[in-house]
Amino acid sequence: MTTDPLTSDDASAAPDTLSKSQQAYGWIKERIASQDFTPGYRLVLGSIAGELDMSVVPVREAIRQLEAEGLVTFERNVGARVSMVDDSQYRYSMQALSILEGTATALAARRLTETDIRDARRINERMIETLEHFDPRAFTRLNQEFHSTLYSKCANPRMLELVTAEWARLGHLRDSTFSFVPGRAQESVREHENILQLIESGAQLGEIEKVARRHRAATLDAYMIHEHPDEVLGLPAF
């Protein structure tokens, strides 16, 4: 049975007067508020129970309460994860990044060496290796490393500043898009190889920019279809 939401008196009560489920609730909610647990972060009941030295039962009750408040979502075969409470800023950053990163990648394409391409492909291979035992955080780190390898030689320093700023902003807004739509990861690594082949073949810069931009926008599309399917119906591809 779930507990009632904490009242203001509950929140200010001494820890030893709170039930275990209330203690777990406060502990998890505090970490969501501080962004130790960022949007998309998977809440593993056993790990939290071990951290708090209690059984999983009160932790499960706390998760249900947080779910009722909209702070946590639960999906079959995925489990509990921190919700994206207000994702409008995430959408704006992803849209901006799709344009900025696509352009920066195209501007850097002719400056990339065979070593750069080889390094990028090696990173993509490491990303493929993570798919078997998928870790969204590790995948996202490698994903950023891959794209940085491709756009870092862009000759426009202002463009690089903007791309770096949007990547940092995304890191503050959420943990990993791939926590929400893990199936997108497999599509992403295939698209990476396509971008590399275009650069290797000396494709027109406009084509490289278009494919790199759509690659970034496709991740946002996957998230929107998963989280807000009614909002994307009839919208043009960004």
Side-chain angles (χ1 to χ4, degrees), residues 33-209:
S34 65
Q35 291 198 336
D36 288 337
F37 293 168
T38 54
Y41 183 86
R42 186 163 175 263
L43 299 169
V44 181
L45 273 63
S47 298
I48 295 173
E51 183 75 23
L52 298 176
D53 193 24
M54 61 178 64
S55 73
V56 298
V57 174
V59 175
R60 185 177 293 112
E61 293 177 350
I63 293 294
R64 288 172 178 166
Q65 183 175 329
L66 291 163
E67 182 182 10
E69 296 177 7
L71 294 176
V72 169
T73 58
F74 186 87
E75 293 184 40
R76 188 181 300 276
N77 300 324
V78 175
R81 57 179 172 79
V82 178
S83 300
M84 176 67 81
V85 180
D86 178 6
D87 56 5
S88 60
Q89 297 304 313
Y90 166 74
R91 299 187 216 181
Y92 298 151
S93 282
M94 283 292 283
Q95 288 174 344
L97 187 59
S98 70
I99 296 172
L100 295 168
E101 188 179 86
T103 301
T105 299
L107 292 175
R110 299 291 190 255
R111 293 168 167 259
L112 296 177
T113 66
E114 291 184 3
T115 299
D116 294 327
I117 298 296
R118 185 166 55 250
D119 289 344
R121 185 165 277 124
R122 187 179 300 116
I123 295 167
N124 200 44
E125 289 170 354
R126 289 169 60 195
M127 295 175 73
I128 294 171
E129 291 171 0
T130 69
L131 295 176
E132 185 174 355
H133 303 288
F134 191 56
D135 180 347
R137 281 184 165 182
F139 190 90
T140 297
R141 286 193 297 270
L142 288 170
N143 186 51
Q144 184 171 3
E145 187 178 347
F146 172 87
H147 286 288
S148 178
T149 301
L150 297 189
Y151 68 66
S152 61
K153 288 191 174 180
C154 171
N156 186 324
R158 180 56 179 157
M159 185 72 68
L160 286 177
E161 283 181 24
L162 293 170
V163 173
T164 302
E166 287 306 321
W167 266 106
R169 181 173 173 77
L170 285 171
H172 288 300
L173 289 172
R174 59 173 306 120
D175 189 26
S176 168
T177 306
F178 301 105
S179 298
F180 288 76
V181 281
R184 170 64 190 149
Q186 295 182 346
E187 299 172 354
S188 185
V189 293
R190 288 194 294 268
E191 291 167 10
H192 285 175
E193 178 58 30
N194 186 31
I195 294 170
L196 289 175
Q197 290 179 8
L198 286 173
I199 294 173
E200 283 180 313
S201 67
Q204 293 185 355
L205 298 185
E207 179 65 15
I208 294 172
E209 186 277 335

